[in-house]
Amino acid sequence: MPSQPPLRRISTGRPLPLVLALLGVTALHAPTRARADAGDAAEPPPTVSASPGSGLLVRSADGRHSLNIKTRMQVRDTVTVDRDARETTNEALLKTLRLYFQGNVLDADIKYTIQLALGAKDFESGNASPIFDAWVEFTHLRDARLRVGQYFVPFDRARTTREFALQFVDRQLPVRELTLDRDLGVMVYSQDLFGLDGALAYNVFVGGGEGRNHAVAEASGPMIVARLSYRPFGAFDDDQEADLERRPSPRLAVGAGFAYNPQSSRAQSTFGATFRRARFNYAQAAADVVFKYAGLSLLAEAVVRSADRDFAEFVDTDGTTVREWSREAWGYFAQLGYMFTRHTEVVGRWEQLRTFGAATDPTLESLIASTGDQAGGGLNVYLNGHAFKFQTDYFYAFGESGRGRHTARIQLDATF
C-alpha cells in the first residue's frame, strides 16, 4: 500500500490538529485573526500598589473591583501594682493581631470589609470565632447609605472611634462597660445629610441584639439604635483621636445616641456573660463631643444603661433559687491631648463609673468600689500617624473600698 502523506504544517512550523488535517482545512490566516480578536477584547491590566499603613491594593482599570489587604498588630507590656492584693504583676503579650480585606465589587459604590482578629485578647470567653467585621454597604445615595452585616453598633463616639486611632493604650472604663460593641444588623446612614459639607450625620441601626458571633435558642431584639451628629464647621476626622494634622482652624462634633434592646440574654446588652434564664430590656443613651484645633484635641462622653428590673429569679433543677442580675450604671470621661510636634503628643484622662444606688450586679458593684475612678496620662510618638506609633501611659485606679491600683503600659501599634 502506498505510504500516507505527512500531516500538513502551516508556515509557522506548528502541526495542525488531526481533525483539521483530515478535513483538509487550511487556516493560514487564523492565527492573525485570533491575535486581532484577542487584542480587541483585552482589558487594561489591574493596578497594584502598596504603601506603609495602607497595605496592598489591587484595583481593576475601570475601578469597579478592588481588594485592599493589610494587617495590624499590638505588642504590649503591662505592669500593675495592686495595693489591696499587695502584689505586682507583669504581662507581656501580642495583644491583638488583625487581618483586613476591604474594597469594592461590581461598582465603586458597593463596598465590603472583612476583619479577622487573631490575637490573644481578641476572643470572647467561650467564643472561638475570629470574625470581627463582615459587611457590605451600598453608598449610591448620599443621604441614605445602606450597610448589612456585622460591625460596630453606631451608638457612642468613643467606641466607634477607629480601633487603630486611639490616644491611649486602651479605651475608657465607662465605655468598656456601657457601650454596645459589635452586632449583626442593617444600618441606614449618612455622613453628609442634605449635602451641608458634613454638618449633619445620622445612623439608624436595627440588629439582632446578641452581639458578634453569638446566637441563643431564644433570640432577643430586635435592637434599635439611633445616632445624630452635628459638625458646625463641616466634616473632619472625628472618628480618630488626636489632632495629627494640627490645622489652624477649629473643628467640632457634638453627638447623641439612643439604643433599646428588648429581652437581652447578655449581661451588658450585646456582650458579656450569657444568662441562663433571665432576659432584660436594656435602654441606653450617650452624649459626646469632639474638638480639635492646632494640635489640641478634646474628647468627652457621658453614657448610661438602665434595665426594666434589677434581677430575675428561677428555681434550678436541684430546687435552689438562682438569681441573675442586670447591670445598670452610668459614667463619663474627658481626655485632652496636645501635639507638641508632628510626631509627639502628650495626653491626659479622667473617668468615672457609677451605679444608680439601687441594687445591681454584685460584680459590677465590686468593680466600681475598687476601680470606679481613674486618672492617667501618656506620651505618644507617631512615626506614621496612627498607622505606626509607640504609646506609653500610666493610670491610677481607685474607689471607696480600696487603696488603689497603679498600672503602667507601653505598646507598639503598627498597621502594615
Side-chain angles (χ1 to χ4, degrees):
M1 295 180 63
S3 61
Q4 296 292 329
L7 291 176
R8 261 193 310 172
R9 297 178 180 270
I10 61 175
S11 59
T12 59
R14 298 178 180 176
L16 288 169
L18 178 61
V19 63
L20 295 180
L22 293 175
L23 293 174
V25 177
T26 59
L28 295 177
H29 301 293
T32 303
R33 288 196 301 270
R35 285 194 297 269
D37 293 341
D40 293 339
E43 296 182 357
T47 60
V48 180
S49 62
S51 59
S54 298
L56 178 69
L57 174 63
V58 181
R59 186 187 301 276
S60 64
D62 59 7
R64 295 177 63 237
H65 316 291
S66 69
L67 172 62
N68 178 213
I69 302 175
K70 60 184 178 181
T71 58
R72 171 174 168 255
M73 70 175 188
Q74 285 183 333
V75 182
R76 179 185 300 181
D77 186 71
T78 302
V79 177
T80 302
V81 179
D82 192 326
R83 297 179 64 189
D84 292 322
R86 296 183 179 180
E87 66 177 6
T88 299
T89 61
N90 181 74
E91 180 186 61
L93 79 163
L94 183 64
K95 195 270 181 183
T96 191
L97 179 64
R98 305 289 174 86
L99 181 60
Y100 300 84
F101 302 89
Q102 300 170 302
N104 61 282
V105 61
L106 301 178
D107 187 278
D109 286 308
I110 303 178
K111 303 175 182 178
Y112 65 90
T113 289
I114 295 174
Q115 181 186 178
L116 304 179
L118 308 172
K121 294 291 187 178
D122 285 328
F123 297 94
E124 292 183 319
S125 177
N127 189 340
S129 173
I131 301 173
F132 260 37
D133 297 312
W135 52 261
V136 175
E137 69 176 3
F138 305 85
T139 61
H140 302 80
L141 302 177
R142 180 198 63 206
D143 293 346
R145 297 184 170 190
L146 177 67
R147 180 180 295 183
V148 181
Q150 180 174 288
Y151 43 89
F152 271 136
V153 175
F155 171 58
D156 66 305
R157 168 48 67 204
R159 191 63 180 99
T160 53
T161 296
R162 298 184 180 229
E163 291 181 303
F164 68 86
L166 302 181
Q167 289 172 296
F168 284 88
V169 172
D170 209 348
R171 298 187 191 270
Q172 306 82 359
L173 174 64
V175 174
R176 297 199 305 270
E177 171 62 35
L178 300 174
T179 189
L180 284 173
D181 205 80
R182 290 173 169 88
D183 195 24
L184 182 69
V186 179
M187 176 174 68
V188 179
Y189 77 100
S190 174
Q191 289 298 314
D192 187 17
L193 186 62
F194 307 132
L196 302 175
D197 193 28
L200 288 177
Y202 81 93
N203 305 75
V204 176
F205 173 89
V206 179
E210 291 296 331
R212 60 183 172 94
N213 309 322
H214 190 82
V216 294
E218 298 179 7
S220 65
M223 181 173 68
I224 300 174
V225 182
R227 176 174 171 81
L228 182 65
S229 299
Y230 175 54
R231 296 176 288 211
F233 306 115
F236 67 102
D237 58 343
D238 57 337
D239 62 349
Q240 299 186 38
E241 297 179 4
D243 185 19
L244 299 181
E245 297 180 357
R246 301 194 299 167
R247 288 164 48 190
S249 58
R251 285 142 288 155
L252 175 67
V254 180
F258 174 80
Y260 182 67
N261 192 11
Q263 296 300 295
S264 172
S265 66
R266 307 192 72 177
Q268 291 152 284
S269 187
T270 60
F271 64 102
T274 301
F275 298 122
R276 292 175 57 191
R277 299 275 189 87
R279 297 292 184 270
F280 298 103
N281 298 332
Y282 279 124
Q284 296 177 239
D288 47 76
V289 59
V290 179
F291 177 75
K292 297 184 180 184
Y293 175 68
L296 179 71
S297 62
L298 169 68
L299 172 62
E301 179 173 299
V303 61
V304 59
R305 179 175 63 221
S306 64
D308 59 332
R309 50 183 171 158
D310 296 333
F311 59 86
E313 289 183 337
F314 63 92
V315 178
D316 208 349
T317 54
D318 60 0
T320 60
T321 299
V322 177
R323 175 175 293 184
E324 294 184 316
W325 292 87
S326 64
R327 289 172 75 104
E328 297 182 284
W330 63 274
Y332 71 93
F333 75 88
Q335 69 183 52
L336 192 67
Y338 184 70
M339 296 287 299
F340 280 97
T341 71
R342 292 178 54 246
H343 301 288
T344 308
E345 179 190 37
V346 293
V347 290
R349 186 166 80 201
W350 166 256
E351 53 194 280
Q352 280 191 325
L353 181 64
R354 292 287 185 268
T355 66
F356 291 106
T360 189
D361 189 334
T363 59
L364 176 59
E365 292 182 332
S366 176
L367 171 69
I368 293 174
S370 59
T371 60
D373 300 275
Q374 298 195 10
L379 174 68
N380 298 321
V381 178
Y382 300 96
L383 301 182
N384 185 27
H386 283 297
F388 202 111
K389 60 189 176 184
F390 288 95
Q391 298 176 280
T392 181
D393 63 22
Y394 160 81
F395 274 88
Y396 177 59
F398 59 98
E400 298 178 353
S401 66
R403 293 179 293 175
R405 185 181 66 196
H406 303 270
T407 302
R409 301 175 290 191
I410 184 169
Q411 175 174 277
L412 166 66
D413 194 324
T415 303
F416 307 102

